[in-house]
Amino acid sequence: MYVFDLLGYGLSERPRNPEVDMSVSGQVPVLEGLMTLRGLKEAHVVSHEIGGDVAQRFCVFSPSRVRSLTLIDVVSFDALPSRRTREQMQEGLELFVGKPDGEHREHFREWLLSTVSNKRHLSESALDTYFDFVSCPVGQASLFQHQVGRCDHRQAEEVADRLSELGEMPVQIVRSEDDQWQVVAWAHKPHDAIPNSELHVLNECGHFAMEDKPTEVGQLLVSFRATHCR
């Protein structure tokens, strides 16, 4: 199994050159390069949130390299940016880039906790790890300049009318009932657009489904691969 950390996200590099393309379309050739480097001719693709936007684009343009596709609480069509992100962009990202670390962490704590139903579990487990990714002068600036600032629904809409082509491969869509970022009602657009796709809704689960329902998500992945990809 390989975990693709989008360029400029998580623990991956933050390019010094602001002209480096870290948009959805810019991430696709990085993914293709990773697969080539590792000698992967094809793969089962599992994606979450913005990663799902990258995955949809990759699968449309390189279907021969995909054995199956799983989309977990992903963005599609015009669902990006979320309401919260749109508000931040309207206020001006430089305002958030320059906030003192304590204010930034407090702001982001509430933001992160809104991604799950079981807030106590996240607080006692992975919350500090997420903080480390997006705090300090480098992480904080990168979050707003490289990630929030790149949120643009137009790239998702560029491939929206081609999502029907993904019906040629096994596709499952996993959505969280209590997702405050990508509301569950939006799951029906990609489900309707992709013929034969499966839709699963997780109850009492927020946007970070892997944190709220790790066992259920794992079972869906194993079952889906066993059923469709023998």
Side-chain angles (χ1 to χ4, degrees):
M1 180 178 71
Y2 294 89
V3 179
F4 173 41
D5 199 7
L6 300 182
L7 181 63
Y9 289 65
L11 294 177
S12 67
E13 297 177 67
R14 270 65 169 169
R16 291 178 179 272
N17 184 354
E19 299 303 316
V20 173
D21 186 4
M22 287 183 292
S23 66
V24 168
S25 59
Q27 300 284 354
V28 172
V30 181
L31 173 58
E32 293 173 333
L34 171 65
M35 290 183 65
T36 299
L37 178 67
R38 296 300 184 184
L40 302 174
K41 294 182 179 180
E42 55 185 21
H44 297 281
V45 179
V46 180
S47 58
H48 176 256
E49 227 262 351
I50 291 177
D53 206 350
V54 177
Q56 291 168 76
R57 196 176 187 90
F58 171 70
C59 292
V60 164
F61 291 112
S62 301
S64 64
R65 305 195 71 173
V66 182
R67 297 190 65 183
S68 71
L69 171 63
T70 296
L71 303 169
I72 306 174
D73 293 324
V74 302
V75 299
S76 59
F77 293 89
D78 60 351
L80 193 71
S82 65
R83 177 187 58 81
R84 179 69 171 269
T85 298
R86 189 178 299 111
E87 291 172 353
Q88 291 177 327
M89 297 172 79
Q90 290 172 346
E91 290 185 55
L93 297 184
E94 289 303 318
L95 171 68
F96 294 96
V97 170
K99 278 192 174 184
D101 184 68
E103 289 185 31
H104 170 70
R105 284 177 173 265
E106 187 58 34
H107 167 82
F108 206 68
R109 171 181 291 277
E110 187 271 329
W111 198 18
L112 275 174
L113 289 176
S114 73
T115 65
V116 294
S117 291
N118 191 340
K119 295 175 174 40
R120 179 177 178 180
H121 172 72
L122 183 64
S123 297
E124 296 175 349
S125 57
L127 186 61
D128 286 340
T129 300
Y130 287 114
F131 274 144
D132 291 341
F133 291 159
V134 297
S135 297
C136 80
V138 174
Q140 183 172 336
S142 178
L143 169 68
F144 294 108
Q145 294 172 344
H146 295 163
Q147 299 175 33
V148 176
R150 301 281 181 169
C151 289
D152 189 338
H153 65 84
R154 289 174 294 183
Q155 294 191 338
E157 292 187 305
E158 285 176 359
V159 299
D161 61 352
R162 296 188 58 182
L163 290 182
S164 60
E165 299 172 24
L166 302 186
E168 299 298 317
M169 65 182 70
V171 177
Q172 72 169 336
I173 300 168
V174 181
R175 300 298 294 219
S176 300
E177 183 181 50
D178 302 325
D179 191 340
Q180 297 183 33
W181 289 21
Q182 299 291 319
V183 296
V184 67
W186 295 349
H188 297 287
K189 269 194 171 183
H191 179 48
D192 292 341
I194 303 173
N196 305 312
S197 60
E198 300 179 11
L199 175 60
H200 305 276
V201 177
L202 299 177
N203 299 323
E204 299 181 358
C205 187
H207 183 64
F208 283 11
M210 298 77 69
E211 295 289 349
D212 262 339
K213 299 285 185 176
T215 301
E216 290 84 344
V217 171
Q219 289 173 340
L220 284 172
L221 293 176
V222 172
S223 176
F224 182 65
R225 180 169 176 177
T227 301
H228 297 282
C229 310
R230 294 174 181 173

